[in-house]
Amino acid sequence: MKKNISSAVINRLPRYRRYLADLLDNGITRISSQELSKKMKTTASQIRQDLNNFGCFGQQGYGYNVELLCEEIDKILGLEKNYNLIIIGAGNLGQALVNYANFKNRGFNFIGIFDINPKLIGINIRGLEILDTEKLEEFISKNDVDIAVLAIPKNQALDVAQRLIKSGIKAIWNFSHVDLETPDDVVVENVHLTDSLMTLSYRLSEKRK
Ligand code: NAI
């Protein structure tokens, strides 16, 4: 049975995953919620509550088995499998995303990159040839694409999103500054770096008051 977990808890899981992976890299195989809370600058009770949601109970006097906990979080986050991504828009952002090697280490593989600019089409980015967006539907029908990334101007994003959805894409990582209306079976994750900067500027201005 699916349990309803709050999005706040889900949003914290990647951070747990990051800290746990660092521990494993440093040869640490078990950790108490107290120790983890000190590293993560949060409370031990928050960690226990969050992880109890998923049946990840630390043992009294032992703490958490870091490897098992990582595996559990991977299962919850769907990270046991690899994902194929395509990116629409091969400008500054699109190329930067494809060039960031760490996505591949986490199982997110870019398999296609598309643009409408003839000057960009045919250029090779990290082993991927930029393809004409005209070929989008054909590419999706021939390849197993899990996630499409939108890195195009907002006036293009709605049209392209519709094309992606019609072609069967079920997940969109949306960097374009527009809210997408999608059917229930399509998930969208919006990323707005400026929102994060504005939050930072708010916190800075509060400190300066
Ligand atoms: P850019 O101008 O360098 O690249 C945009 C690319 O999209 C261009 O190469 C253009 O030819 C291409 N394009 C336009 N229409 C297209 C279509 N229908 N199909 C395929 N390609 C198309 O811009 P940049 O800096 O890469 O930003 C891309 C978009 O992402 C912009 O809308 C920008 O506002 C947004 N952005 C969002 C961020 C965020 O945090 N959400 C951060 C940075 C940019």
Side-chain angles (χ1 to χ4, degrees):
M1 195 181 65
K2 265 196 178 167
K3 203 174 158 190
N4 249 351
I5 312 280
S6 77
S7 53
V9 177
I10 300 290
N11 288 340
R12 284 196 286 271
L13 286 185
R15 188 159 179 259
Y16 288 123
R17 175 69 179 74
R18 223 167 352 101
Y19 273 83
L20 294 166
D22 277 352
L23 291 174
L24 276 183
D25 285 347
N26 289 311
I28 297 168
T29 54
R30 69 184 215 192
I31 190 158
S32 68
S33 48
Q34 280 84 0
E35 288 168 309
L36 190 55
S37 70
K38 269 189 214 135
K39 284 186 187 296
M40 295 184 65
K41 301 203 168 32
T42 178
T43 63
S45 75
Q46 163 108 84
I47 290 178
R48 284 196 297 269
Q49 263 176 37
D50 281 354
L51 299 179
N52 283 358
N53 270 305
F54 308 101
C56 300
F57 304 104
Q59 282 169 32
Q60 196 76 39
Y62 179 87
Y64 293 99
N65 176 318
V66 178
E67 196 173 359
L68 284 182
L69 194 48
C70 256
E71 282 171 16
E72 264 327 292
I73 292 177
D74 280 0
K75 271 189 221 159
I76 295 156
L77 293 176
L79 296 176
E80 297 162 299
K81 64 170 289 234
N82 290 344
Y83 293 93
N84 287 333
L85 280 72
I86 57 171
I87 185 154
I88 330 300
N92 293 308
L93 178 62
Q95 294 195 24
L97 290 170
V98 171
N99 275 316
Y100 181 54
N102 213 28
F103 290 134
K104 191 170 181 145
N105 301 340
R106 292 269 170 264
F108 297 98
N109 305 319
F110 284 105
I111 60 165
I113 177 162
F114 296 84
D115 207 285
I116 46 165
N117 183 348
K119 288 188 182 146
L120 291 175
I121 293 163
I123 290 176
N124 206 291
I125 310 290
R126 236 183 128 78
L128 283 183
E129 185 187 331
I130 299 174
L131 300 175
D132 190 334
T133 310
E134 293 274 300
K135 301 207 171 117
L136 195 55
E137 284 82 358
E138 187 192 340
F139 186 93
I140 294 171
S141 72
K142 289 189 178 156
N143 293 277
D144 188 13
V145 181
D146 300 295
I147 299 170
V149 185
L150 278 186
I152 50 178
K154 68 176 183 186
N155 63 357
Q156 298 285 315
L158 293 179
D159 278 357
V160 172
Q162 283 315 313
R163 285 173 61 188
L164 292 166
I165 292 165
K166 267 198 192 138
S167 307
I169 292 294
K170 299 292 182 207
I172 300 177
W173 200 25
N174 177 32
F175 286 83
S176 300
H177 295 295
V178 66
D179 290 326
L180 303 174
E181 300 239 341
T182 54
D184 287 347
D185 63 342
V186 176
V187 287
V188 178
E189 179 69 22
N190 297 307
V191 184
H192 296 304
L193 297 178
T194 28
D195 289 5
S196 172
L197 259 186
M198 285 180 204
T199 310
L200 184 65
S201 86
Y202 164 79
R203 288 169 53 202
L204 182 63
S205 53
E206 283 296 293
K207 287 251 182 262
R208 287 181 172 167
K209 269 182 190 165

